[in-house]
């Protein structure tokens, strides 16, 4: 026994080091009683930060620009047969569509199941507007129009189906629409 006194609660708290709770975790905030906010609190903070966004679009939607560009280049428009179209679309994507960070690829037809590019949509001011089209397509996308949502797996270079969600357009990289929302692919002669 030495002559020192046992530490008080206040001195123990000031001398305590932040502890990690597992691999990859960050130390807790400093200060007595500090803790990380819950996901609900973080979501509330995100909505405050982006209060200028439209009510149709949730706060916190992440950019998929790089992923969609890779999908167009390495999947949808791959091969020598699509070289000219691929170069033109990617040039437009890189030069003219720089203000967009969130995109959705519209595929040709759910009946074929093939991932042929019909149009590309971008999120601007809360609306999914058509940015370019290869075949006749709606001028904007709405969730009620969507028959199937897909995410692009860049590692496997394939599209995978996303389970049915409340807000499918907020997570999709590509979609198929219900047939009634697609115009026929006939050539129109003026």
């Amino acid at each position: 026994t030495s002559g020192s006194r046992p530490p008080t609660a206040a001195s123990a708290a000031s001398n305590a080091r932040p502890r990690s709770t597992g691999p990859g975790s960050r130390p807790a905030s400093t200060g007595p009683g500090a803790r990380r906010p819950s996901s609900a609190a973080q979501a509330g903070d995100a909505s405050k930060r982006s209060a200028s966004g439209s009510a149709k679009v949730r706060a916190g939607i992440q950019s998929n620009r790089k992923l969609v560009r890779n999908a167009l280049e390495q999947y949808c428009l791959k091969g020598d047969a699509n070289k000219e179209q691929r170069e033109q679309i990617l040039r437009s994507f890189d030069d003219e569509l720089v203000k967009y960070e969130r995109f959705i690829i519209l595929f040709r037809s759910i009946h074929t199941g093939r991932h042929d590019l019909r149009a590309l949509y971008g999120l601007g001011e809360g609306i999914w507007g058509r940015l370019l089209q290869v075949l006749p397509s709606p001028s904007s996308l709405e969730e009620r129009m969507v028959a199937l949502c897909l995410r692009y797996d860049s590692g496997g270079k394939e599209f995978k189906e996303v389970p049915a969600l409340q807000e499918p357009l907020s997570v999709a990289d590509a979609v198929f629409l219900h047939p009634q929302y697609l115009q026929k692919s006939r050539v129109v002669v003026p």
Side-chain angles (χ1 to χ4, degrees):
T1 63
S2 67
S4 65
R5 297 184 316 209
T8 63
S11 66
S14 66
N15 293 330
R17 291 185 177 169
R19 289 185 293 239
S20 102
T21 56
S25 64
R26 290 185 250 160
S29 304
T30 57
R35 60 185 177 145
R36 291 179 61 191
S38 68
S39 0
Q42 289 172 346
D45 290 346
S47 64
K48 287 176 191 168
R49 284 190 300 268
S50 62
S52 62
S54 169
K56 288 186 176 184
V57 180
R58 274 176 109 174
I61 293 179
Q62 293 183 338
S63 172
N64 67 346
R65 169 178 271 288
K66 187 175 179 181
L67 195 70
V68 167
R69 189 188 191 288
N70 287 341
L72 290 168
E73 182 178 20
Q74 299 169 3
Y75 188 88
C76 299
L77 300 170
K78 67 181 178 184
D80 290 338
N82 294 319
K83 183 178 181 182
E84 188 177 320
Q85 183 182 34
R86 177 178 60 246
E87 289 174 353
Q88 179 185 4
I89 288 174
L90 293 177
R91 192 171 25 257
S92 176
F93 189 88
D94 294 338
D95 298 341
E96 300 167 21
L97 306 178
V98 292
K99 74 175 191 173
Y100 296 93
E101 288 297 323
R102 185 81 185 140
F103 296 89
I104 291 183
I105 298 169
L106 173 60
F107 289 132
R108 188 173 189 160
S109 170
I110 196 164
H111 294 303
T112 64
R114 291 177 44 174
H115 299 148
D116 296 329
L117 177 66
R118 178 181 276 271
L120 182 67
Y121 291 81
L123 183 62
E125 298 179 15
I127 297 171
W128 288 98
R130 184 181 61 220
L131 304 174
L132 61 90
Q133 68 179 1
V134 175
L135 296 169
S137 308
S139 60
S140 63
L141 286 180
E142 298 175 23
E143 292 180 0
R144 65 183 169 84
M145 303 164 86
V146 175
L148 183 64
C149 290
L150 303 157
R151 292 286 312 235
Y152 184 64
D153 174 10
S154 57
K157 291 190 172 107
E158 64 181 349
F159 283 92
K160 295 182 178 179
E161 188 175 340
V162 176
L165 298 167
Q166 284 289 74
E167 297 180 20
L169 297 181
S170 65
V171 297
D173 296 321
V175 295
F176 283 105
L177 296 187
H178 292 290
Q180 67 263 31
Y181 296 109
L182 296 174
Q183 301 168 4
K184 301 291 182 208
S185 304
R186 295 184 185 144
V187 176
V188 178
V189 180

